[in-house]
């Protein structure tokens, strides 16, 4: 699992995802999650604010990872390439956690409130990426458009990746969908 | 108001938006909305499923409008231009209803559940537009990317439009943001 080792947090996350998948998110209690992870309920609240936080802490971590990738890049050659770099860093971690991530996706897909929360998190990701690009000297308007376009690419690639377990690499899919975006937006070159 | 005349439906919508803005969405009852519109509560349910439907029926109407624009276009020159055409049709109606739309946006921004619902509706819009493009012969993968990119452009333009009441035209903003998307995704032409 690399940097995301199955410590107490990881065991709680694993237990929670299993229970959400088996019983449904709404039907699972924190006591049951702690019990399955072999931990006290108190431990749960050391790592997570609530049941929903188990599903969404990773989005916050990915957002921070994307921002760090942009801030640490030796040079931001173009806004969209800066965004692509950030998403590539995120994809590496998602691939490392692919089993958990796929379980998580199924749980979220089954619950409208969670689906909507997931979308809101992607808006936050775009905002954070745009802000980081701005701090690297990219014009605010272009940073906004590049970040939103990049997150759109991410969302499409991620959906395709989750639909084909083990068959495709998320990093490669990101490159493919980014190329498709370049193709559809190329002026005059994609007349059908 | 053109084709969106202030009939019973329009009066109910107007009354609901005023009350949501004054008291908050959660604090407003259907009885109060009907009362302010000078109608029976029964009339409310002739037009809307519930309080939330007052805010979101227009999204369904816009989606149908976008799909019709694509299906009725004499020719789909390129996927992204098909999407741009659809969004232009939507923008005309939004401009006609601009006062209501701005009120609606403020109400939605104040409520996390409504914000998340709004995002989910935009995903539905992208799916519907992609499907319509597919029916017009566009490759499914490119239709998906073009529709998602177009809805992203729409979301950015709409946010800018709503932030500058009466100062900017949504149709022009859509053209501007689409150009910015073309600029950030142009290979090799936007090195900073």
């Amino acid at each position: 699992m690399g940097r995301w080792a199955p410590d107490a947090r990881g065991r709680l996350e694993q237990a929670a995802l299993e229970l959400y998948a088996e019983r449904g998110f709404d039907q699972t209690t924190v006591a049951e999650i702690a019990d399955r992870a072999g931990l006290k309920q108190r431990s749960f609240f050391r790592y997570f604010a609530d049941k929903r936080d188990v599903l969404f802490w990773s989005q916050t971590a990915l957002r921070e990872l994307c921002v760090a990738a942009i801030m640490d890049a030796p040079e931001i050659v173009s806004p969209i390439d800066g965004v692509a770099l950030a998403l590539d860093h995120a994809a590496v971690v998602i691939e490392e956690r692919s089993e958990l991530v796929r379980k998580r996706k199924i749980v979220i897909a089954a619950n409208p409130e969670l689906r909507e929360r997931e979308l809101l998190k992607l808006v936050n990701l775009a905002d954070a990426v745009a802000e980081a690009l701005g701090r690297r000297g990219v014009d605010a308007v272009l940073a906004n458009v590049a970040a939103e376009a990049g997150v759109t690419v991410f969302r499409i690639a991620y959906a395709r990746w989750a639909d084909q377990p083990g068959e495709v690499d998320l990093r490669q899919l990101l490159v493919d969908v980014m190329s498709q975006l370049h193709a559809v937006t190329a002026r005059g070159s994609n007349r059908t």
Side-chain angles (χ1 to χ4, degrees), chain A:
Chain A
M1 298 292 288
R3 78 195 82 168
W4 306 67
D7 50 1
R9 176 192 271 271
R11 274 153 58 201
L12 286 162
E13 190 177 16
Q14 177 77 39
L17 286 167
E18 283 171 18
L19 287 163
Y20 297 165
E22 286 166 27
R23 304 180 187 181
F25 176 76
D26 288 331
Q27 285 73 47
T28 301
T29 66
V30 167
E32 290 167 335
I33 296 168
D35 194 50
R36 180 164 300 194
L39 293 163
K40 302 275 181 217
Q41 197 167 332
R42 210 180 43 202
S43 302
F44 180 92
F45 292 109
R46 196 172 300 143
Y47 297 102
F48 303 108
D50 53 31
K51 278 196 314 179
R52 202 164 69 165
D53 189 32
V54 180
L55 295 167
F56 292 104
W57 75 273
S58 54
Q59 297 301 86
T60 307
L62 286 176
R63 191 182 65 211
E64 286 167 9
L65 194 84
C66 288
V67 168
I70 292 170
M71 296 314 289
D72 295 345
E75 188 194 6
I76 299 295
V77 178
S78 79
I80 198 77
D81 290 340
V83 176
L85 174 79
L87 297 178
D88 184 57
H89 281 237
V92 171
V93 173
I94 292 172
E95 281 284 359
E96 279 178 13
R97 284 169 40 88
S98 64
E99 258 188 74
L100 276 181
V101 171
R102 285 182 209 277
K103 275 206 186 96
R104 174 184 179 279
K105 191 168 188 295
I106 291 165
V107 170
I108 288 173
N111 183 311
E113 193 219 336
L114 298 176
R115 286 204 303 271
E116 294 172 341
R117 161 75 36 176
E118 178 84 334
L119 292 171
L120 197 60
K121 285 284 177 179
L122 288 173
V123 173
N124 294 344
L125 173 61
D127 289 346
V129 165
E131 201 203 316
L133 288 172
R135 282 192 277 153
R136 289 303 304 269
V138 173
D139 169 80
V141 167
L142 292 184
N144 177 217
V145 173
E148 294 284 359
V151 169
T152 299
V153 165
F154 177 79
R155 198 154 50 70
I156 297 171
Y158 180 75
R160 292 187 192 163
W161 174 80
D163 283 348
Q164 304 168 69
E167 287 176 33
V168 282
D169 180 72
L170 182 57
R171 297 177 73 190
Q172 184 57 49
L173 273 173
L174 278 172
V175 172
D176 294 347
V177 177
M178 190 62 89
S179 293
Q180 287 155 9
L181 177 68
H182 286 296
V184 296
T185 56
R187 279 273 180 236
S189 68
N190 63 331
R191 307 285 128 165
T192 54

